[in-house]
């Protein structure tokens, strides 16, 4: 037996070992190749996404119009003109009220008391005159005779500087007789216009309107 023949068996065993080692290394290398890499395929944090337009990404700013709405250029409304004066309904009086120019001046004086005295031989002449005055709106409070002298004409007497003056003049103008300040015989009589009627009452103008 040669020396080489005696060494062939250990060498065969060593070869088998080397082949086994090579196979193991190849297997390990393959596994590393499958599980290794450059890290580009690693998964990111769960629940996040970097794709724009998805619900998980940052919200896009709202779209804005490039053209601003111009301010209103409408013409401001002109001030409202006051309504024209309305005309009174048909059939209503259009004359001025009491105390106004052209109005019924007597109306503001008719509250003054009026006493009517008869200085004539005509019975009930004072009562007739009093009725005329009342129908015209005057405030007649007394009717009686006046036997203390003769009065030349029907006259309304007043105390100067009082409301009686305007009332007496208005009454006299309405019924067509005179108006004068009180004379001494009636100077201290009660307040109010005193009308002393004579036989000429109602002859100078139509009775009160």
């Amino acid at each position: 037996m040669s020396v080489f023949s005696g060494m062939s068996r250990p060498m065969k065993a060593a070869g088998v070992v080397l082949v086994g080692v090579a196979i193991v290394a190849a297997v390990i290398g393959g596994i590393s190749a499958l599980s290794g890499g450059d890290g580009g395929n690693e998964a990111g944090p769960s629940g996040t996404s970097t794709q724009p337009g998805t619900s998980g990404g940052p919200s896009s700013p709202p779209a804005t119009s490039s053209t601003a709405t111009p301010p209103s250029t409408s013409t401001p409304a002109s001030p409202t003109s006051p309504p024209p004066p309305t005309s009174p309904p048909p059939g209503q009086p259009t004359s001025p009220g009491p105390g106004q120019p052209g109005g019924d001046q007597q109306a503001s004086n008719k509250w003054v008391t009026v006493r009517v005295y008869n200085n004539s031989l005509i019975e009930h002449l004072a009562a007739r005159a009093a009725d005329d005055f009342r129908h015209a709106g005057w405030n007649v409070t007394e009717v009686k005779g006046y036997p203390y002298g003769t009065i030349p004409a029907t006259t309304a007497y007043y105390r100067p500087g009082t409301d009686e003056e305007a009332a007496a003049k208005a009454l006299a103008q309405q019924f067509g007789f005179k108006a004068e300040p009180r004379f001494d015989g009636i100077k201290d009589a009660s307040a109010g216009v005193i009308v002393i009627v004579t036989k000429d009452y109602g002859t100078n103008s139509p009775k009160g309107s």
Side-chain angles (χ1 to χ4, degrees):
M1 175 179 297
S2 64
V3 178
F4 293 102
S5 62
M7 295 176 60
S8 61
R9 188 173 296 173
M11 291 178 67
K12 290 182 180 179
V16 171
V17 172
L18 290 175
V19 172
V21 171
I23 294 172
V24 171
V27 172
I28 294 173
I31 294 174
S32 298
L34 293 175
S35 61
D38 58 0
N41 294 328
E42 294 179 358
S46 61
T48 62
S49 173
T50 58
Q51 184 177 358
T54 62
S55 60
S59 60
S60 301
T64 58
S65 175
S66 60
T67 304
T69 303
S72 175
T73 57
S74 59
T75 304
S78 59
T80 303
S81 301
T86 57
S87 301
Q92 294 294 326
T94 57
S95 59
Q100 298 180 357
D104 184 4
Q105 298 290 337
Q106 299 153 350
S108 60
N109 302 309
K110 289 181 178 179
W111 64 271
V112 177
T113 58
V114 177
R115 296 197 301 281
V116 185
Y117 299 158
N118 186 1
N119 188 237
S120 75
L121 298 177
I122 303 173
E123 292 185 3
H124 310 298
L125 181 61
R128 191 181 76 190
D131 288 341
D132 293 340
F133 299 161
R134 289 190 182 105
H135 291 158
W138 292 93
N139 181 24
V140 178
T141 59
E142 185 179 19
V143 178
K144 66 180 183 179
Y146 183 79
Y148 311 106
T150 301
I151 304 300
T154 300
T155 307
Y157 295 97
Y158 59 86
R159 293 177 298 170
T162 67
D163 293 331
E164 296 171 10
E165 182 172 356
K169 290 178 179 180
L171 178 61
Q173 182 181 10
Q174 184 176 8
F175 287 92
F177 47 80
K178 299 187 300 179
E180 295 180 354
R182 288 187 183 187
F183 56 89
D184 289 342
I186 60 174
K187 194 173 187 179
D188 297 327
S190 300
V193 174
I194 296 175
V195 180
I196 300 179
V197 294
T198 66
K199 62 182 180 180
D200 68 341
Y201 173 75
T203 62
N204 296 329
S205 65
K207 293 182 180 179
S209 56

